[in-house]
Amino acid sequence: MSMPGDLGFLRAAIFQQLKDRTEPLQIEEQHPQRPWLEWLGVPLRSGTCEVTAEPGKLNAGDLRAAGILPEVVYGCLVQTWWHPGQSDWVARTRSEIYACFDSSELEQPGWELTREALDSVNAYRLQELTPHELLEASREFWEGGCTETERMEGWLLLHLDGLQRLQDVADCLFPFLYQGDPRGALSDEEARQWLRIPSEVALSDATQILGPERVARLLGERSFS
């Protein structure tokens, strides 16, 4: 049996389910690949798993740890064997695949999936998500917690161009998640960097979005010059 998260198995399972998209894929409740199929969003039901596949070169666990969206992994796995009219990888969504998939257009062995392709599609897809979707997708990478959703979403809008991985989303939210001691000894430029303020954003605008009380707490009541 392949290792949990093996992309070779997961791809075979995805295509088995796509053969009849009206039915969930049958797989045992305790099957070691089930959590990874759930992570990918594959519809599942209890039953005997009959998926067989050659091991892949990549593992879903490594991709998840690298901040790749599960829907990007799903979409790219599908594109290895199904890419009608394409000359390169694109950010196909599950709904698009379900609406357009045609098993007669399969190409095997097809394209080989690489980390470079996944990273590129992931960066593109992150730009398409709403701030709310970015918050939800990045939660597992947060260090700390915050419930000020409106402010956080507004802050994310300032950082969209720089988002490549889910860790980037979590990092730019640092001012909302940090619960440690203030850093009042910083210069203005150091404070900007520490608070993840983009260079093109005015300090007054950043303070308004973050909230003056939060900025004062993070910087030890000091103010920008």
Side-chain angles (χ1 to χ4, degrees):
M1 181 178 293
S2 58
M3 293 290 293
D6 173 71
L7 291 196
F9 179 95
L10 298 178
R11 175 174 61 183
I14 287 170
F15 277 98
Q16 183 163 315
Q17 195 274 325
L18 284 174
K19 289 179 182 178
D20 184 0
R21 299 188 291 287
T22 64
E23 294 293 335
L25 177 71
Q26 287 195 145
I27 190 168
E28 297 90 339
E29 292 287 342
Q30 301 304 317
H31 196 288
Q33 301 289 8
R34 188 181 180 102
W36 293 108
L37 289 168
E38 291 174 342
W39 180 70
L40 291 173
V42 179
L44 304 175
R45 61 177 172 171
S46 297
T48 301
C49 177
E50 299 179 355
V51 176
T52 58
E54 293 293 324
K57 295 182 179 180
L58 298 174
N59 187 278
D62 296 332
L63 300 179
R64 182 176 186 174
I68 307 295
L69 291 162
E71 69 174 72
V72 167
V73 180
Y74 180 98
C76 286
L77 280 174
V78 170
Q79 289 174 74
T80 59
W81 288 353
W82 182 72
H83 40 259
Q86 294 177 221
S87 59
D88 204 350
W89 306 91
V90 297
R92 284 192 181 274
T93 64
R94 296 188 191 92
S95 59
E96 179 186 358
I97 291 168
Y98 263 57
C100 302
F101 179 76
D102 184 343
S103 59
S104 68
E105 298 173 322
L106 293 184
E107 177 187 323
Q108 294 175 265
W111 295 351
E112 180 178 352
L113 186 56
T114 65
R115 271 297 304 274
E116 290 75 16
L118 285 160
D119 289 340
S120 177
V121 175
N122 196 63
Y124 181 87
R125 183 63 180 134
L126 285 175
Q127 309 303 310
E128 297 184 322
L129 298 184
T130 66
H132 176 73
E133 290 171 331
L134 288 169
L135 287 180
E136 293 306 308
S138 65
R139 283 185 184 275
E140 67 177 297
F141 297 101
W142 292 9
E143 295 184 8
C146 182
T147 59
E148 296 180 68
T149 302
E150 185 174 345
R151 286 188 184 275
M152 296 173 82
E153 291 181 358
W155 190 245
L156 275 174
L157 289 173
L158 303 179
H159 295 79
L160 287 180
D161 291 344
L163 303 180
Q164 304 287 318
R165 308 177 305 152
L166 290 175
Q167 286 93 330
D168 298 329
V169 181
D171 181 70
C172 81
L173 294 172
F174 169 82
F176 295 92
L177 305 176
Y178 181 73
Q179 299 297 324
D181 295 331
R183 297 288 298 276
L186 301 176
S187 67
D188 283 358
E189 184 55 36
E190 288 172 335
R192 287 186 65 105
Q193 294 178 11
W194 194 60
L195 295 177
R196 280 51 167 183
I197 301 175
S199 59
E200 69 276 10
V201 177
L203 298 177
S204 57
D205 292 337
T207 299
Q208 182 177 2
I209 296 174
L210 292 174
E213 293 182 358
R214 172 175 290 104
V215 173
R217 177 179 62 79
L218 291 172
L219 298 179
E221 304 297 335
R222 57 150 286 182
S223 61
F224 290 110
S225 59

